[in-house]
Amino acid sequence: MNESNRIELKRELNDGLEKEIVAFLNSREGGILYLGVDDNGRAIGVPQPDEVQLKVKDRLKNNILPSCMGLFDIVQEVKEGYQILKITILSGPEKPYYLRKQGMSEKGCYLRVGSAAEPMSNRMIEDLFAKRTRSSLRKIKSPRQDLTFEQLKIYYNESGHMLTDRFAANLELLTEAREYNYVAYLMADNNGNSMKVAKYAGTDRVNLIESNEYGYCSLIKATKRILDKLEVENRTKTLITSKERIESRLWNSIALREAVINAIVHNDFSNEAPPKFEIFANRIEITSAGGLIHGLNEEEFYEGYSLPRNKEIMRIYKDIDLVEYLGSGIPRILQTYDRSCFRITDNFIRIALPSSEPVYMEETALAQSQTTPESSSQGGSIGGTIGGTIGGTIGGTIELSERQKEVLTLIMNNNRISVRSLAKELNINNSAAQSHIDLLKENGFLTRIGGTRGYWEVTIK
């Protein structure tokens, strides 16, 4: 490991940390800073890494302007038997970034040049400031100020985080005038934002057979509901041979999830155009509003350089484990699908993922469209049979996933089971377990009786 234009090595935490981070924020590609590694690339280790990690986060939060929260990620790694810290920094959308105590000056603004952080000239500082993004959601006032955030607090609690009374300021949900901004509006329990999942009988948009809306609630809840809906649609095909059992899905699960999250996190909500999700007989199309953000070209987009349009949303999704690693979405998709799946225009980015086999027979879907309402709140009745202890036929067009069947089975065996215990039994995180429960509740399979100290009531249709 050697220092380069994207890698900085530091033996220990010192006064030069913020300068290096500012230089990466102001560069086109961002970079990675390894703490606990000497100039020769040898691991030295970081004593008390948990404590140092908190110090680093606090310093970056308080010593750099504009706010870089949501633009960096800190993880602990083991190198040569030593604990080190890996700090990943994205290129910032509000350049120039600078040291708070030095201000927007040659002593406060730095740029990564080769393997060093070099001071920026006044001319460069002025040019960057003139191009600075001024349509950030953080600066747009929410159309409503009577917002509540119970859903947001639940998702944070499930991820092991506790929101304090200052959460609105800490998560950058306020404008400079201390009013709720548009990010707060999207995260609130009630808002006017809604995303659609549509299904068509064929390979074009002529015959709509199903249209579901997910929204008017926290963007996080809407995201999880869309992920659950597409999990149901992404059915598994099983081929049993004399030697093995081969299972495959319509779409690669990892790539599909990344495409959904990317479309939502990087969508341009400032024009009130939400992303949309469309299922055809041979593919799924995911469209987000807003082309490539200024400062990012198409080649950099494919190579995984991340310049977030909505860093505040990115930060929240990272906190609650909806986003795992910064800048990893597009490379993960390209591990399975090629660049031809993408279409990038000035105003939209669309990804079309082909299915491994026909999603459904066009004739069957067309016949269904003639008897099924074109729009519903959750897409009609649920298909399939929950085997074992859960009997009864649940006829219709949507099938419960195997995971959701497992959830119902566990609840029937113990109707007072907690979300945390359910997640542990299924070996998934708490937020994933809650998402399955939410979907089952919304479709009438689960009812909570008696609040937090109550029990679950299962209804089989």
Side-chain angles (χ1 to χ4, degrees):
M1 183 189 303
N2 297 309
E3 289 191 338
S4 66
N5 65 320
R6 297 202 68 227
I7 295 178
E8 173 69 18
L9 307 178
K10 277 193 173 296
R11 291 175 58 93
E12 59 188 11
L13 184 60
N14 57 34
D15 294 339
L17 173 72
E18 289 88 344
K19 182 179 76 172
E20 303 294 345
I21 301 298
V22 163
F24 282 132
L25 289 166
N26 285 326
S27 70
R28 288 175 59 85
E29 300 89 4
I32 300 173
L33 187 149
Y34 290 95
L35 195 58
V37 180
D38 68 15
D39 292 339
N40 296 317
R42 294 178 303 184
I44 302 298
V46 176
Q48 299 177 314
D50 291 335
E51 181 179 332
V52 173
Q53 185 171 339
L54 291 175
K55 287 182 179 179
V56 169
K57 183 177 180 180
D58 186 64
R59 284 175 56 170
L60 300 187
K61 175 183 177 182
N62 295 304
N63 298 341
I64 295 176
L65 290 175
S67 170
C68 63
M69 299 302 290
L71 296 175
F72 66 87
D73 185 26
I74 310 174
V75 296
Q76 295 183 28
E77 292 187 353
V78 177
K79 177 177 171 60
E80 300 169 11
Y82 291 94
Q83 286 279 354
I84 66 172
L85 294 182
K86 177 184 178 182
I87 308 172
T88 303
I89 307 101
L90 302 182
S91 176
E94 297 182 280
K95 301 178 181 69
Y97 292 82
Y98 55 92
L99 304 178
R100 179 190 290 268
K101 65 180 180 180
Q102 299 292 348
M104 197 184 302
S105 66
E106 291 182 351
K107 293 183 178 181
C109 297
Y110 292 87
L111 182 68
R112 190 75 177 180
V113 179
S115 59
E118 299 291 342
M120 297 171 63
S121 66
N122 282 327
R123 177 63 180 274
M124 185 180 296
I125 294 171
E126 292 171 0
D127 287 345
L128 287 174
F129 184 73
K131 297 175 182 177
R132 177 180 288 181
T133 302
R134 299 185 184 278
S135 59
S136 167
L137 296 183
R138 178 165 51 90
K139 300 178 181 179
I140 300 175
K141 180 182 176 180
S142 167
R144 290 175 49 188
Q145 293 297 309
D146 58 335
L147 304 179
T148 59
F149 301 93
E150 294 307 313
Q151 294 167 15
L152 180 65
K153 293 176 181 178
I154 290 172
Y155 289 124
Y156 263 82
N157 289 341
E158 289 175 349
S159 300
H161 302 283
M162 182 67 69
L163 293 181
T164 67
D165 293 339
R166 289 182 48 81
F167 78 92
N170 292 336
L171 297 182
E172 300 182 87
L173 305 183
L174 303 175
T175 66
E176 293 179 357
R178 311 300 291 176
E179 297 174 307
Y180 284 129
N181 59 27
Y182 208 85
V183 182
Y185 181 66
L186 293 174
M187 295 299 159
D189 297 328
N190 296 286
N191 57 57
N193 181 70
S194 180
M195 297 178 284
K196 289 183 173 61
V197 178
K199 290 176 68 175
Y200 298 92
T203 59
D204 54 31
R205 294 177 174 82
V206 175
N207 294 301
L208 178 68
I209 60 174
E210 185 179 321
S211 180
N212 307 313
E213 285 200 45
Y214 300 88
Y216 309 112
C217 58
S218 170
L219 187 65
I220 300 170
K221 182 177 181 179
T223 300
K224 289 176 176 288
R225 290 172 64 191
I226 288 174
L227 289 171
D228 283 335
K229 165 65 174 174
L230 297 182
E231 173 73 13
V232 171
E233 296 290 342
N234 191 16
R235 71 174 186 271
T236 301
K237 176 185 178 182
T238 303
L239 176 63
I240 301 178
T241 68
S242 59
K243 294 183 178 181
E244 59 182 343
R245 174 190 179 101
I246 303 173
E247 292 187 347
S248 61
R249 309 194 77 176
L250 291 178
W251 300 284
N252 179 274
S253 298
I254 295 175
L256 180 59
R257 176 184 172 85
E258 293 292 346
V260 171
I261 297 295
N262 265 10
I264 296 172
V265 168
H266 297 291
N267 189 75
D268 184 1
F269 288 99
S270 64
N271 59 11
E272 299 187 345
K276 62 179 181 178
F277 309 87
E278 299 170 294
I279 301 171
F280 300 87
N282 63 346
R283 69 193 186 280
I284 183 170
E285 287 190 0
I286 300 172
T287 306
S288 59
L292 295 178
I293 192 169
H294 177 76
L296 187 71
N297 62 40
E298 194 165 331
E299 187 63 28
E300 292 167 337
F301 170 81
Y302 289 127
E303 291 181 6
Y305 295 131
S306 184
L307 190 59
R309 187 186 306 276
N310 308 305
K311 70 181 183 68
E312 299 85 8
I313 297 178
M314 173 80 81
R315 184 255 180 103
I316 292 171
Y317 275 45
K318 178 70 172 60
D319 285 349
I320 62 172
D321 301 321
L322 274 173
V323 175
E324 293 186 20
Y325 301 104
L326 298 178
S328 64
I330 300 303
R332 286 190 175 191
I333 296 171
L334 291 176
Q335 286 180 344
T336 306
Y337 303 94
D338 60 37
R339 296 186 181 188
S340 65
C341 295
F342 290 86
R343 185 185 177 196
I344 301 174
T345 69
D346 291 341
N347 300 308
F348 296 95
I349 295 178
R350 172 173 290 166
I351 178 172
L353 302 181
S355 56
S356 61
E357 61 177 85
V359 178
Y360 39 72
M361 298 304 294
E362 294 186 30
E363 294 80 3
T364 302
L366 186 57
Q368 177 192 355
S369 71
Q370 297 171 355
T371 58
T372 303
E374 290 189 347
S375 180
S376 67
S377 62
Q378 285 297 318
S381 56
I382 297 180
T385 300
I386 303 179
T389 58
I390 304 177
T393 300
I394 310 168
T397 60
I398 301 178
E399 294 183 357
L400 291 180
S401 68
E402 292 301 320
R403 182 68 81 189
Q404 287 150 9
K405 295 176 185 178
E406 292 177 24
V407 170
L408 282 182
T409 300
L410 288 170
I411 291 176
M412 287 195 70
N413 290 334
N414 176 11
N415 66 356
R416 294 184 182 274
I417 191 170
S418 67
V419 173
R420 188 178 298 274
S421 297
L422 192 64
K424 186 176 180 180
E425 288 284 344
L426 297 172
N427 196 27
I428 59 178
N429 60 41
N430 293 342
S431 59
Q434 184 64 53
S435 295
H436 290 305
I437 286 176
D438 289 343
L439 187 69
L440 291 168
K441 288 169 63 179
E442 288 160 7
N443 285 287
F445 288 95
L446 277 181
T447 304
R448 186 66 182 177
I449 307 297
T452 57
R453 296 184 179 273
Y455 61 92
W456 294 108
E457 183 178 274
V458 177
T459 302
I460 301 300
K461 302 177 182 180

